[in-house]
Structure formats: C-alpha cells, structure tokens
Amino acid sequence: MALSFLSRRPAVTSLILGAMAACGFAPLQWWWLTLACVAGWMWIVRQAPSQKAALWWGWAFGVGHFTINNNWFQHAFDFQDKMPPVLGYAAPLALAFYLAVYPALAAGVAWRARGAKADAGFVLAFAAAWIVSEWLRSVMFTGYAWDPLSVIWVPVQPVALLAAWVGTYALSGLTVLLAGALLLIPRRPAPLGVALAGVAALLVAQWMSYRYLATAATVSPDHPVVRVVQPNVPQDARGESDTEMMLAKLSELSGKPGRAPRLIVWPEGVIRDFLEDGYPDYVYPTDPAFLRWRMARLLGPRDTLLTGGTALQFDAAGNAVMATNSVFAVGPDARLGKERYDKAHLVPYGEYLPIPWLLKPLGLARLVPGAMDFAEGPGPRALEVSGFGVVGIQICYEIIFSGRVVDRTKRPRMIFNPSNDAWFGKWGPPQHLAQARMRAIEEGLPVIRATPNGISAVIAADGALIGAVPHEQAGAIEVPLPAAAPPTLFSRMGNWLAAIVAVLLGGTAIAIRRRAR
C-alpha cells in the first residue's frame, strides 16, 4: 500500500523524499529517515516506464536533497557588498540543480539493470552507480564533495568505522545497498535477516577493537598536549584593523606554559596582518617581527603555535598580485618555521572568481572580501613541527575531499584543520565537523579543528570526539595529543577501494541479471 502510494506522483514524491533524506545529516542526524527515504526513492525509480523518467525522478530527488542539505550556503552571501545577500536564497537551489545530476545518473544506470521485480541485481547496480556518481561529484569542475551519503553514519560509530576499510564513497554505496535490502526483505526475510545480523555482529566487534586500542595507551605527565583556541568572533566583526581585538581574545584563551610541551592552534581567518618578513614596506600595516613576538610571548620554551594567515606573491615590479591562504608555525623564539602550508583546493566564488572575464563586468565578486584572488598551493603536505613530529595540514574546505588530505609519501601523526565556519550558518558547522570525523576514520589519524566561532574540536583516530567547543561560544580545549592508529587499508589504497567495491557490486549485478534470463 505504502509503496503504491509513492508511485502516484513520482516526481513530486522523489523531490519530497530527497528533502527528507537530508535530515539524516548533521545537525539532525536522523540517519534512519535517510535510509527509509532512499529505499522509497529506489522503489520509485524501479517503477519508471523509461530511462528518461528514471533520470527525471532521480534529478528531482537530488534537487530536494541538496537544497535542504546546503541551506547554510545562503549565509555566505551576507559578507560581500558586491554579492547581494538576496542572491543567497537562490544559491542553494541553483547549486542543487547542478548537483542533482549525479543522483540522476545513478538512477538512470540502475534502471537499466532492473528486472521484473525489485530484485538484488537492481539494488546492486544502484549501489555501484551511486559510488561512481558520488566520486564524480567530488572531482568534476574542481569538485563539490560536501556530505556524501555515508556521513549519516558518523553518530553510529560501528558503521562509520567501515570507512577505514573501504572509504567514504564505497561506504555510501553500501548504504544504498542497505536501503535497497529493505525492499527485498518482504521477499526473502530469513536469509536477509541472518545476513544483516551477521554484519551487525562484525560491526560491533570492530568497534570494540577500536575502543580497546584507543584506551590502552597511557599518557605521561610530560606528554605533549594540544590546545585549540576558539575566540568566537563573527565574520562581520573582523576587518582590516582588528589586530588588537583579535590578539587580545586569542591571547586570553591560549593558556599558560606548563610542564608538557603545548601545540597551540589558532583558526583560519583570524590573523589578517602579514607574518612573513621580506615584503615591500608598503604592504605592512604592522611590523611582522613585532606581531610574531606578541604571539611568541604566549609560548613556553617547548611550545609551538600553528595559525592561519596570509602570504603574498609579487610580480617583477614588486606589485602584490596574488595571495595564499596559509598556515604558519611560530616558535618561542618568534621565528617562523622553515615551511608554510598553502591551501591547494580553493573554494570557487569564495577564494577565487571563475571566468572573471564574464562575471566581473556583471558586477559580481568572490565572497571573501579583498581585491586579489588566492593562488593554489601544491597539494597535501605535512610540516615538521619541532617537538611534535610531522603534522598534516588541510585548511577548511579541503578536509571534505576523501583520499586527498594526506601526503602519501610522508604520513603525519595528525591533521590540523584550521577553518572559518563563520560563513556556514547554523547547519554548515556541524556538517563540516562530521566530515572531518570521517577523514580521521579513513586515515587513522587524529584531526584537530580550530575555527573562529565553532565548532572547534579534537577528534581521535577512530572519529570519536575527545573535546569540542560549541558553535558561537568562546573557549579552548587542552588535551593530551591523541595517538595515531596504525595505517588503515584506506590510507594505503585510497579511492582505488571505491573502484574495487563498485566493480564487485556492478559485476555481481550483471551476473544476476544474465542468470535470470
């Protein structure tokens, strides 16, 4: 009865199911609703009279899903006069029109594999197609990997830990497989029930083993600690002359030196004045050596400060032409580390304006204020931080890209993810945090997040939250530096695992269909 109801207005029902499925992600985390909605949508797709209809209903599901899921996107338009805030209300819908292409592709491919009934071949093909479409979403047109389906499992840690073995995109496909299994239970209740019980037992055993590893280590009194600082300064309170106010808040929350060496981390977007020496005098609002000294006086002799900042690039005539969104290490001697990290995966329309020859004459600008676009860095890199080992860096948005956050030739002991989530409204920060937790699970590495107004967090290598400062609150977290787990299968193979799982699922679907003929 319920399934027949879904097929009466398939396009509208798909749109509604897609919107409801977005409630499985943070902040609501109703993962069970997402499973039910995906299952209902899969039933609708299987009933489609043609592949064109399946594509259309898949697109409708995507429009509903991504409009609700990316509703926070509107808030980003509130901070740039050249981009009127009213455009922000259309932006999530416009983005959803594009992103919906990917679930439409998955639906179209799965429809081709359908049988006379809602059989296993259809479900397997849907799962395989979803893996491919979600991966494509992460790479096409620089990629927009926000909230892959598997992120709904972050609050269900035994399931989320599967990402250490297969990665995010493959786990998304397995999530579609589970949703499809709900359609098959009425036909094969006994074997499916046994299979699901066995999978549940394996997940619990896996979770218990991770918990044992996490609690087995002992921490000595002089074990290094990490201190995460969240000043709670909103985006519109930060201007070009805010150094005094910002330094006062950051200094107050940075604590005092103690017996243990401290790695103090400050967010992205809080230090606007330049830290590097050697620029032409005209670019400096304050002396960089004096600014570094003010930071260094907060440090003990074995402490280090990691902070977001900006570096400049100049042409032959000495004119500043490009900037980089960077991370610097400041030591107790007020000197910068030998290397800095420059953000590689920039946000289109945020940190650079695509096709400027067309958009600038229309009066449009990127959302981050300033005259210069940002330049791309070389990609995932790790910095040697004295006393703390190798630290991987991923700035803000970069952390959402599965398989592209760690330098495979130089495995770090942790990942530092400074971010500026003040652009992201109410829904964006908890979604961003959930994706950072998935990266910790995949790579088997702790992730340290510092943001201006939340959510800052220390994340263990199994994705568990060790500590967090809530959204729009000032505070600091100081905890022993979490240990890295042994390299995971995903950390060794990356998204080749997604390809392998997709091929296995798709190959099995083809075999089942041929056997049924």
Side-chain angles (χ1 to χ4, degrees):
M1 180 72 72
L3 293 176
S4 63
F5 172 79
L6 294 177
S7 60
R8 291 177 188 171
R9 297 287 187 273
V12 174
T13 305
S14 294
L15 182 75
I16 294 171
L17 288 174
M20 293 172 61
C23 297
F25 296 87
L28 299 178
Q29 296 184 326
W30 298 343
W31 58 268
W32 46 269
L33 181 60
T34 300
L35 278 183
C37 290
V38 171
W41 170 58
M42 291 171 70
W43 174 267
I44 291 174
V45 169
R46 201 204 69 80
Q47 304 300 316
S50 66
Q51 189 174 38
K52 181 179 179 180
L55 289 166
W56 169 240
W57 299 343
W59 186 80
F61 178 91
V63 169
H65 180 73
F66 291 114
T67 299
I68 299 301
N69 190 265
N70 292 305
N71 71 78
W72 56 268
F73 199 69
Q74 180 278 327
H75 196 65
F77 286 76
D78 293 340
F79 304 104
Q80 172 60 278
D81 292 338
K82 293 181 180 180
M83 296 288 272
V86 68
L87 289 180
Y89 294 98
L93 184 60
L95 180 61
F97 283 171
Y98 159 65
L99 296 175
V101 168
Y102 297 101
L105 290 174
V109 170
W111 184 88
R112 299 290 298 180
R114 78 201 190 289
K117 300 179 180 179
D119 59 14
F122 168 76
V123 172
L124 288 163
F126 216 128
W130 188 276
I131 293 172
V132 175
S133 67
E134 201 167 79
W135 176 80
L136 284 173
R137 176 162 70 91
S138 77
V139 297
M140 295 294 291
F141 308 112
T142 78
Y144 185 76
W146 191 268
D147 271 354
L149 186 60
S150 57
V151 177
I152 67 170
W153 296 117
V154 166
V156 189
Q157 197 180 25
V159 181
L161 287 171
L162 285 174
W165 299 96
V166 297
T168 290
Y169 305 129
L171 182 54
S172 292
L174 296 178
T175 303
V176 171
L177 185 65
L178 177 59
L182 299 177
L183 301 177
L184 303 179
I185 285 177
R187 297 179 57 213
R188 300 182 179 88
L192 278 171
V194 171
L196 291 175
V199 170
L202 287 173
L203 292 176
V204 171
Q206 173 187 241
W207 175 75
M208 291 177 66
S209 69
Y210 266 77
R211 288 285 82 204
Y212 172 77
L213 289 174
T215 57
T218 58
V219 177
S220 62
D222 59 351
H223 183 85
V225 300
V226 60
R227 186 176 182 91
V228 183
V229 175
Q230 179 171 299
N232 190 32
V233 178
Q235 183 69 29
D236 52 9
R238 281 176 264 154
E240 298 300 325
S241 59
D242 60 3
T243 301
E244 292 301 322
M245 175 271 292
M246 187 60 69
L247 275 177
K249 288 183 175 291
L250 293 167
S251 300
E252 178 185 358
L253 293 167
S254 292
K256 303 296 182 182
R259 174 177 174 181
R262 299 180 305 156
L263 181 65
I264 301 173
V265 294
W266 288 358
E268 175 194 27
V270 293
I271 297 299
R272 297 294 180 88
D273 294 347
F274 301 112
L275 291 169
E276 290 185 314
D277 297 315
Y279 297 166
D281 290 342
Y282 74 88
V283 305
Y284 288 116
T286 59
D287 179 9
F290 180 63
L291 179 59
R292 296 195 305 269
W293 174 81
R294 296 182 69 182
M295 296 178 178
R297 67 178 182 171
L298 305 172
L299 306 177
R302 295 191 294 164
D303 296 349
T304 298
L305 168 66
L306 292 178
T307 181
T310 304
L312 293 178
Q313 298 178 0
F314 298 85
D315 62 16
N319 299 311
V321 292
M322 296 286 281
T324 58
N325 188 354
S326 305
V327 168
F328 300 89
V330 180
D333 58 358
R335 295 182 180 180
L336 295 179
K338 294 180 180 179
E339 295 182 300
R340 68 168 194 255
Y341 174 83
D342 296 333
K343 186 177 182 182
H345 205 128
L346 302 177
V347 181
Y349 301 99
E351 292 167 309
Y352 71 97
L353 187 68
I355 51 174
W357 56 270
L358 174 63
L359 298 181
K360 284 187 176 181
L362 297 176
L364 299 180
R366 57 188 176 83
L367 296 171
V368 177
M372 287 184 293
D373 278 352
F374 286 85
E376 295 180 352
R381 292 178 61 202
L383 304 181
E384 291 277 358
V385 180
S386 179
F388 299 92
V390 180
V391 178
I393 312 290
Q394 289 287 282
I395 298 178
C396 196
Y397 175 74
E398 292 182 303
I399 200 69
I400 74 172
F401 291 93
S402 171
R404 290 185 274 169
V405 299
V406 169
D407 180 354
R408 301 294 174 195
T409 66
K410 192 175 184 181
R411 178 173 168 82
R413 68 173 297 178
M414 68 176 183
I415 299 172
F416 173 42
N417 175 223
S419 184
N420 182 3
D421 287 1
W423 304 92
F424 292 5
K426 300 293 186 182
W427 280 43
Q431 290 179 2
H432 208 179
L433 173 63
Q435 292 170 92
R437 293 175 69 180
M438 288 296 282
R439 298 295 85 75
I441 293 170
E442 283 181 333
E443 302 292 346
L445 294 171
V447 175
I448 314 300
R449 276 180 55 78
T451 74
N453 65 344
I455 304 168
S456 300
V458 178
I459 306 167
D462 63 355
L465 284 179
I466 296 174
V469 181
H471 191 218
E472 297 181 338
Q473 292 186 25
I477 311 162
E478 183 168 308
V479 296
L481 197 64
T488 64
L489 182 62
F490 182 84
S491 72
R492 298 178 186 277
M493 297 186 64
N495 280 318
W496 283 108
L497 289 167
I500 292 169
V501 174
V503 168
L504 289 174
L505 293 173
T508 306
I510 293 170
I512 289 174
R513 186 176 182 188
R514 287 181 176 175
R515 183 179 178 184
R517 287 178 177 175

